[in-house]
Amino acid sequence: MHYLPFILPALVGGFVQSTTGFGCGIIIMMFYPALLGVLPSATISECASIFLTFSIIIRYRKHANLKKVILPLLFYFPVYLLFLQIAASINVDFLKPILGLFLIVMSIYFIFAAGKISIKATPKTAFICAALSAMADAFFGIGGPPIVLYFLSTTENKEEYFANVQMMFFTTSTYGALMRIWKGILTPILIPNIAIAVISIAVGTIFGHRVADRLDGELLKKLVYVLVGIAGMITFITNLDVLLLLF
């Protein structure tokens, strides 16, 4: 029973990410910080993501387009390192309500502008999405939404989207875990919780893949936009007390 609060979020997270391409980190970070704090929870989320994304890459490997992944990765690395250094030296909890509002606005914008806007794979859009993703990852371990929206608009079909976005997440999670080891944030005491999260995620992905096979591209986009908004609302509401302390 002691491990149940670690198992259930990871189980649901594995299901959601294998269905929509992202979301595991968001769900984990809704629950784990209450048990361990923000920074250790973000570390567990990032390490568990390595195994999750690798399993999804194997499934969609024939559809991967590495050229579309390289550009945002080049921008992601330096921005992540910069903000990880900041995150290690400040209390990032007070920023979570702001993150929630940002995700809500982003979700509403894409829901109502769907079909009217188009993100192109240019250096400018790659930098904006990758930088936002890197900042959210460094602070909260939930950098998925900005880069997911980028890949939704720059890939040809559902399979290419899954392959490319998981390649991005796999690379950034591996990089993030190495940086957290270097900074002394990832310590041996977290390994048991990481192992529990990985096993739970693996079970969730089994069921998630079955759902993903039945989704068409347009329905997938709508689910992603809605999930971004839900994540934003939960993040904002659950951290209102932090926001009130600022006033």
PDB file of all heavy atoms in Angstrom, residues 149-172:
ATOM      1  N   LEU A 149       3.004  20.113 -29.696  1.00  0.00           N
ATOM      2  CA  LEU A 149       2.276  20.933 -30.654  1.00  0.00           C
ATOM      3  C   LEU A 149       3.117  21.203 -31.904  1.00  0.00           C
ATOM      4  O   LEU A 149       2.588  21.268 -33.016  1.00  0.00           O
ATOM      5  CB  LEU A 149       1.854  22.248 -29.994  1.00  0.00           C
ATOM      6  CG  LEU A 149       0.885  22.099 -28.812  1.00  0.00           C
ATOM      7  CD1 LEU A 149       0.625  23.448 -28.162  1.00  0.00           C
ATOM      8  CD2 LEU A 149      -0.420  21.462 -29.250  1.00  0.00           C
ATOM      9  N   TYR A 150       4.405  21.330 -31.721  1.00  0.00           N
ATOM     10  CA  TYR A 150       5.320  21.518 -32.860  1.00  0.00           C
ATOM     11  C   TYR A 150       5.298  20.296 -33.777  1.00  0.00           C
ATOM     12  O   TYR A 150       5.137  20.411 -34.993  1.00  0.00           O
ATOM     13  CB  TYR A 150       6.730  21.780 -32.336  1.00  0.00           C
ATOM     14  CG  TYR A 150       7.798  21.843 -33.402  1.00  0.00           C
ATOM     15  CD1 TYR A 150       8.008  23.006 -34.140  1.00  0.00           C
ATOM     16  CD2 TYR A 150       8.595  20.736 -33.685  1.00  0.00           C
ATOM     17  CE1 TYR A 150       8.990  23.063 -35.123  1.00  0.00           C
ATOM     18  CE2 TYR A 150       9.578  20.783 -34.658  1.00  0.00           C
ATOM     19  CZ  TYR A 150       9.775  21.951 -35.371  1.00  0.00           C
ATOM     20  OH  TYR A 150      10.737  22.000 -36.342  1.00  0.00           O
ATOM     21  N   PHE A 151       5.440  19.119 -33.202  1.00  0.00           N
ATOM     22  CA  PHE A 151       5.491  17.908 -34.017  1.00  0.00           C
ATOM     23  C   PHE A 151       4.131  17.533 -34.603  1.00  0.00           C
ATOM     24  O   PHE A 151       4.069  16.924 -35.680  1.00  0.00           O
ATOM     25  CB  PHE A 151       6.056  16.740 -33.198  1.00  0.00           C
ATOM     26  CG  PHE A 151       7.547  16.769 -33.061  1.00  0.00           C
ATOM     27  CD1 PHE A 151       8.146  16.946 -31.826  1.00  0.00           C
ATOM     28  CD2 PHE A 151       8.369  16.627 -34.166  1.00  0.00           C
ATOM     29  CE1 PHE A 151       9.523  16.984 -31.690  1.00  0.00           C
ATOM     30  CE2 PHE A 151       9.745  16.661 -34.048  1.00  0.00           C
ATOM     31  CZ  PHE A 151      10.330  16.845 -32.805  1.00  0.00           C
ATOM     32  N   LEU A 152       3.048  17.883 -33.922  1.00  0.00           N
ATOM     33  CA  LEU A 152       1.724  17.638 -34.488  1.00  0.00           C
ATOM     34  C   LEU A 152       1.558  18.352 -35.825  1.00  0.00           C
ATOM     35  O   LEU A 152       0.894  17.854 -36.735  1.00  0.00           O
ATOM     36  CB  LEU A 152       0.631  18.107 -33.529  1.00  0.00           C
ATOM     37  CG  LEU A 152       0.074  17.112 -32.513  1.00  0.00           C
ATOM     38  CD1 LEU A 152      -0.960  17.797 -31.644  1.00  0.00           C
ATOM     39  CD2 LEU A 152      -0.520  15.881 -33.185  1.00  0.00           C
ATOM     40  N   SER A 153       2.146  19.542 -35.926  1.00  0.00           N
ATOM     41  CA  SER A 153       1.974  20.364 -37.119  1.00  0.00           C
ATOM     42  C   SER A 153       3.037  20.123 -38.186  1.00  0.00           C
ATOM     43  O   SER A 153       2.860  20.557 -39.325  1.00  0.00           O
ATOM     44  CB  SER A 153       1.991  21.854 -36.737  1.00  0.00           C
ATOM     45  OG  SER A 153       0.937  22.156 -35.850  1.00  0.00           O
ATOM     46  N   THR A 154       4.131  19.448 -37.837  1.00  0.00           N
ATOM     47  CA  THR A 154       5.234  19.303 -38.796  1.00  0.00           C
ATOM     48  C   THR A 154       5.456  17.867 -39.254  1.00  0.00           C
ATOM     49  O   THR A 154       6.407  17.593 -39.992  1.00  0.00           O
ATOM     50  CB  THR A 154       6.544  19.840 -38.190  1.00  0.00           C
ATOM     51  OG1 THR A 154       6.842  19.120 -36.985  1.00  0.00           O
ATOM     52  CG2 THR A 154       6.433  21.326 -37.877  1.00  0.00           C
ATOM     53  N   THR A 155       4.596  16.955 -38.825  1.00  0.00           N
ATOM     54  CA  THR A 155       4.712  15.567 -39.272  1.00  0.00           C
ATOM     55  C   THR A 155       3.568  15.217 -40.220  1.00  0.00           C
ATOM     56  O   THR A 155       2.513  15.851 -40.204  1.00  0.00           O
ATOM     57  CB  THR A 155       4.707  14.592 -38.077  1.00  0.00           C
ATOM     58  OG1 THR A 155       3.607  14.907 -37.206  1.00  0.00           O
ATOM     59  CG2 THR A 155       5.996  14.709 -37.282  1.00  0.00           C
ATOM     60  N   GLU A 156       3.793  14.196 -41.034  1.00  0.00           N
ATOM     61  CA  GLU A 156       2.852  13.868 -42.112  1.00  0.00           C
ATOM     62  C   GLU A 156       1.657  13.051 -41.652  1.00  0.00           C
ATOM     63  O   GLU A 156       0.569  13.161 -42.211  1.00  0.00           O
ATOM     64  CB  GLU A 156       3.599  13.096 -43.218  1.00  0.00           C
ATOM     65  CG  GLU A 156       4.753  13.862 -43.858  1.00  0.00           C
ATOM     66  CD  GLU A 156       4.278  15.104 -44.583  1.00  0.00           C
ATOM     67  OE1 GLU A 156       3.151  15.086 -45.114  1.00  0.00           O
ATOM     68  OE2 GLU A 156       5.025  16.101 -44.606  1.00  0.00           O
ATOM     69  N   ASN A 157       1.837  12.217 -40.631  1.00  0.00           N
ATOM     70  CA  ASN A 157       0.750  11.342 -40.203  1.00  0.00           C
ATOM     71  C   ASN A 157       0.940  10.951 -38.741  1.00  0.00           C
ATOM     72  O   ASN A 157       1.923  11.343 -38.094  1.00  0.00           O
ATOM     73  CB  ASN A 157       0.678  10.087 -41.092  1.00  0.00           C
ATOM     74  CG  ASN A 157       2.036   9.403 -41.219  1.00  0.00           C
ATOM     75  OD1 ASN A 157       2.676   9.085 -40.219  1.00  0.00           O
ATOM     76  ND2 ASN A 157       2.477   9.192 -42.452  1.00  0.00           N
ATOM     77  N   LYS A 158      -0.019  10.199 -38.228  1.00  0.00           N
ATOM     78  CA  LYS A 158      -0.008   9.812 -36.825  1.00  0.00           C
ATOM     79  C   LYS A 158       1.236   9.015 -36.468  1.00  0.00           C
ATOM     80  O   LYS A 158       1.863   9.245 -35.420  1.00  0.00           O
ATOM     81  CB  LYS A 158      -1.259   8.981 -36.513  1.00  0.00           C
ATOM     82  CG  LYS A 158      -1.334   8.485 -35.074  1.00  0.00           C
ATOM     83  CD  LYS A 158      -2.557   7.620 -34.853  1.00  0.00           C
ATOM     84  CE  LYS A 158      -2.372   6.238 -35.475  1.00  0.00           C
ATOM     85  NZ  LYS A 158      -3.498   5.337 -35.147  1.00  0.00           N
ATOM     86  N   GLU A 159       1.630   8.095 -37.332  1.00  0.00           N
ATOM     87  CA  GLU A 159       2.774   7.235 -37.043  1.00  0.00           C
ATOM     88  C   GLU A 159       4.081   8.025 -36.987  1.00  0.00           C
ATOM     89  O   GLU A 159       4.926   7.809 -36.109  1.00  0.00           O
ATOM     90  CB  GLU A 159       2.869   6.116 -38.081  1.00  0.00           C
ATOM     91  CG  GLU A 159       1.782   5.062 -38.006  1.00  0.00           C
ATOM     92  CD  GLU A 159       0.432   5.548 -38.523  1.00  0.00           C
ATOM     93  OE1 GLU A 159       0.404   6.547 -39.273  1.00  0.00           O
ATOM     94  OE2 GLU A 159      -0.596   4.935 -38.177  1.00  0.00           O
ATOM     95  N   GLU A 160       4.239   8.969 -37.930  1.00  0.00           N
ATOM     96  CA  GLU A 160       5.451   9.789 -37.924  1.00  0.00           C
ATOM     97  C   GLU A 160       5.476  10.692 -36.689  1.00  0.00           C
ATOM     98  O   GLU A 160       6.542  10.914 -36.093  1.00  0.00           O
ATOM     99  CB  GLU A 160       5.537  10.647 -39.196  1.00  0.00           C
ATOM    100  CG  GLU A 160       6.844  11.432 -39.288  1.00  0.00           C
ATOM    101  CD  GLU A 160       6.893  12.367 -40.479  1.00  0.00           C
ATOM    102  OE1 GLU A 160       6.071  12.201 -41.413  1.00  0.00           O
ATOM    103  OE2 GLU A 160       7.745  13.273 -40.472  1.00  0.00           O
ATOM    104  N   TYR A 161       4.323  11.192 -36.314  1.00  0.00           N
ATOM    105  CA  TYR A 161       4.233  12.021 -35.107  1.00  0.00           C
ATOM    106  C   TYR A 161       4.704  11.241 -33.885  1.00  0.00           C
ATOM    107  O   TYR A 161       5.538  11.723 -33.111  1.00  0.00           O
ATOM    108  CB  TYR A 161       2.793  12.497 -34.913  1.00  0.00           C
ATOM    109  CG  TYR A 161       2.469  12.890 -33.480  1.00  0.00           C
ATOM    110  CD1 TYR A 161       2.946  14.086 -32.942  1.00  0.00           C
ATOM    111  CD2 TYR A 161       1.698  12.049 -32.666  1.00  0.00           C
ATOM    112  CE1 TYR A 161       2.663  14.433 -31.624  1.00  0.00           C
ATOM    113  CE2 TYR A 161       1.409  12.392 -31.361  1.00  0.00           C
ATOM    114  CZ  TYR A 161       1.895  13.578 -30.839  1.00  0.00           C
ATOM    115  OH  TYR A 161       1.616  13.914 -29.542  1.00  0.00           O
ATOM    116  N   PHE A 162       4.165  10.044 -33.686  1.00  0.00           N
ATOM    117  CA  PHE A 162       4.561   9.235 -32.534  1.00  0.00           C
ATOM    118  C   PHE A 162       6.062   8.949 -32.551  1.00  0.00           C
ATOM    119  O   PHE A 162       6.742   9.081 -31.525  1.00  0.00           O
ATOM    120  CB  PHE A 162       3.792   7.910 -32.528  1.00  0.00           C
ATOM    121  CG  PHE A 162       2.494   7.964 -31.776  1.00  0.00           C
ATOM    122  CD1 PHE A 162       1.283   7.916 -32.444  1.00  0.00           C
ATOM    123  CD2 PHE A 162       2.473   8.065 -30.397  1.00  0.00           C
ATOM    124  CE1 PHE A 162       0.081   7.970 -31.766  1.00  0.00           C
ATOM    125  CE2 PHE A 162       1.276   8.119 -29.701  1.00  0.00           C
ATOM    126  CZ  PHE A 162       0.077   8.065 -30.382  1.00  0.00           C
ATOM    127  N   ALA A 163       6.599   8.569 -33.709  1.00  0.00           N
ATOM    128  CA  ALA A 163       8.016   8.232 -33.811  1.00  0.00           C
ATOM    129  C   ALA A 163       8.899   9.439 -33.499  1.00  0.00           C
ATOM    130  O   ALA A 163       9.850   9.350 -32.709  1.00  0.00           O
ATOM    131  CB  ALA A 163       8.326   7.693 -35.201  1.00  0.00           C
ATOM    132  N   ASN A 164       8.589  10.581 -34.109  1.00  0.00           N
ATOM    133  CA  ASN A 164       9.437  11.761 -33.949  1.00  0.00           C
ATOM    134  C   ASN A 164       9.374  12.348 -32.540  1.00  0.00           C
ATOM    135  O   ASN A 164      10.401  12.716 -31.962  1.00  0.00           O
ATOM    136  CB  ASN A 164       9.048  12.837 -34.970  1.00  0.00           C
ATOM    137  CG  ASN A 164       9.481  12.472 -36.380  1.00  0.00           C
ATOM    138  OD1 ASN A 164      10.014  11.393 -36.617  1.00  0.00           O
ATOM    139  ND2 ASN A 164       9.250  13.361 -37.320  1.00  0.00           N
ATOM    140  N   VAL A 165       8.177  12.458 -32.003  1.00  0.00           N
ATOM    141  CA  VAL A 165       8.060  13.087 -30.685  1.00  0.00           C
ATOM    142  C   VAL A 165       8.695  12.205 -29.611  1.00  0.00           C
ATOM    143  O   VAL A 165       9.299  12.707 -28.647  1.00  0.00           O
ATOM    144  CB  VAL A 165       6.584  13.413 -30.360  1.00  0.00           C
ATOM    145  CG1 VAL A 165       5.809  12.181 -29.924  1.00  0.00           C
ATOM    146  CG2 VAL A 165       6.508  14.492 -29.275  1.00  0.00           C
ATOM    147  N   GLN A 166       8.621  10.879 -29.772  1.00  0.00           N
ATOM    148  CA  GLN A 166       9.255  10.005 -28.786  1.00  0.00           C
ATOM    149  C   GLN A 166      10.776  10.008 -28.936  1.00  0.00           C
ATOM    150  O   GLN A 166      11.500   9.868 -27.944  1.00  0.00           O
ATOM    151  CB  GLN A 166       8.711   8.577 -28.902  1.00  0.00           C
ATOM    152  CG  GLN A 166       7.217   8.449 -28.673  1.00  0.00           C
ATOM    153  CD  GLN A 166       6.747   9.142 -27.402  1.00  0.00           C
ATOM    154  OE1 GLN A 166       7.296   8.921 -26.326  1.00  0.00           O
ATOM    155  NE2 GLN A 166       5.694   9.960 -27.511  1.00  0.00           N
ATOM    156  N   MET A 167      11.275  10.174 -30.160  1.00  0.00           N
ATOM    157  CA  MET A 167      12.713  10.332 -30.343  1.00  0.00           C
ATOM    158  C   MET A 167      13.202  11.587 -29.638  1.00  0.00           C
ATOM    159  O   MET A 167      14.270  11.596 -29.014  1.00  0.00           O
ATOM    160  CB  MET A 167      13.052  10.392 -31.834  1.00  0.00           C
ATOM    161  CG  MET A 167      12.950   9.064 -32.562  1.00  0.00           C
ATOM    162  SD  MET A 167      13.212   9.231 -34.351  1.00  0.00           S
ATOM    163  CE  MET A 167      14.892   9.841 -34.388  1.00  0.00           C
ATOM    164  N   MET A 168      12.432  12.656 -29.761  1.00  0.00           N
ATOM    165  CA  MET A 168      12.764  13.904 -29.075  1.00  0.00           C
ATOM    166  C   MET A 168      12.771  13.693 -27.564  1.00  0.00           C
ATOM    167  O   MET A 168      13.737  14.063 -26.870  1.00  0.00           O
ATOM    168  CB  MET A 168      11.730  14.970 -29.458  1.00  0.00           C
ATOM    169  CG  MET A 168      11.905  16.311 -28.760  1.00  0.00           C
ATOM    170  SD  MET A 168      13.211  17.290 -29.499  1.00  0.00           S
ATOM    171  CE  MET A 168      13.227  18.726 -28.389  1.00  0.00           C
ATOM    172  N   PHE A 169      11.719  13.087 -27.035  1.00  0.00           N
ATOM    173  CA  PHE A 169      11.614  12.878 -25.598  1.00  0.00           C
ATOM    174  C   PHE A 169      12.694  11.932 -25.072  1.00  0.00           C
ATOM    175  O   PHE A 169      13.224  12.127 -23.978  1.00  0.00           O
ATOM    176  CB  PHE A 169      10.231  12.324 -25.237  1.00  0.00           C
ATOM    177  CG  PHE A 169       9.115  13.321 -25.376  1.00  0.00           C
ATOM    178  CD1 PHE A 169       7.806  12.898 -25.578  1.00  0.00           C
ATOM    179  CD2 PHE A 169       9.367  14.675 -25.297  1.00  0.00           C
ATOM    180  CE1 PHE A 169       6.777  13.810 -25.694  1.00  0.00           C
ATOM    181  CE2 PHE A 169       8.344  15.603 -25.416  1.00  0.00           C
ATOM    182  CZ  PHE A 169       7.044  15.173 -25.604  1.00  0.00           C
ATOM    183  N   PHE A 170      12.993  10.897 -25.842  1.00  0.00           N
ATOM    184  CA  PHE A 170      14.026   9.944 -25.412  1.00  0.00           C
ATOM    185  C   PHE A 170      15.381  10.642 -25.273  1.00  0.00           C
ATOM    186  O   PHE A 170      16.092  10.475 -24.279  1.00  0.00           O
ATOM    187  CB  PHE A 170      14.136   8.789 -26.405  1.00  0.00           C
ATOM    188  CG  PHE A 170      15.282   7.847 -26.103  1.00  0.00           C
ATOM    189  CD1 PHE A 170      15.176   6.909 -25.087  1.00  0.00           C
ATOM    190  CD2 PHE A 170      16.463   7.906 -26.830  1.00  0.00           C
ATOM    191  CE1 PHE A 170      16.229   6.049 -24.794  1.00  0.00           C
ATOM    192  CE2 PHE A 170      17.523   7.050 -26.549  1.00  0.00           C
ATOM    193  CZ  PHE A 170      17.403   6.120 -25.523  1.00  0.00           C
ATOM    194  N   THR A 171      15.716  11.450 -26.272  1.00  0.00           N
ATOM    195  CA  THR A 171      17.001  12.145 -26.257  1.00  0.00           C
ATOM    196  C   THR A 171      17.062  13.173 -25.131  1.00  0.00           C
ATOM    197  O   THR A 171      18.054  13.262 -24.401  1.00  0.00           O
ATOM    198  CB  THR A 171      17.252  12.845 -27.602  1.00  0.00           C
ATOM    199  OG1 THR A 171      17.097  11.897 -28.665  1.00  0.00           O
ATOM    200  CG2 THR A 171      18.663  13.417 -27.666  1.00  0.00           C
ATOM    201  N   THR A 172      15.984  13.960 -24.978  1.00  0.00           N
ATOM    202  CA  THR A 172      15.992  14.996 -23.950  1.00  0.00           C
ATOM    203  C   THR A 172      15.948  14.399 -22.541  1.00  0.00           C
ATOM    204  O   THR A 172      16.584  14.931 -21.628  1.00  0.00           O
ATOM    205  CB  THR A 172      14.806  15.965 -24.131  1.00  0.00           C
ATOM    206  OG1 THR A 172      13.572  15.234 -24.105  1.00  0.00           O
ATOM    207  CG2 THR A 172      14.918  16.706 -25.455  1.00  0.00           C
TER     208      THR A 172
END
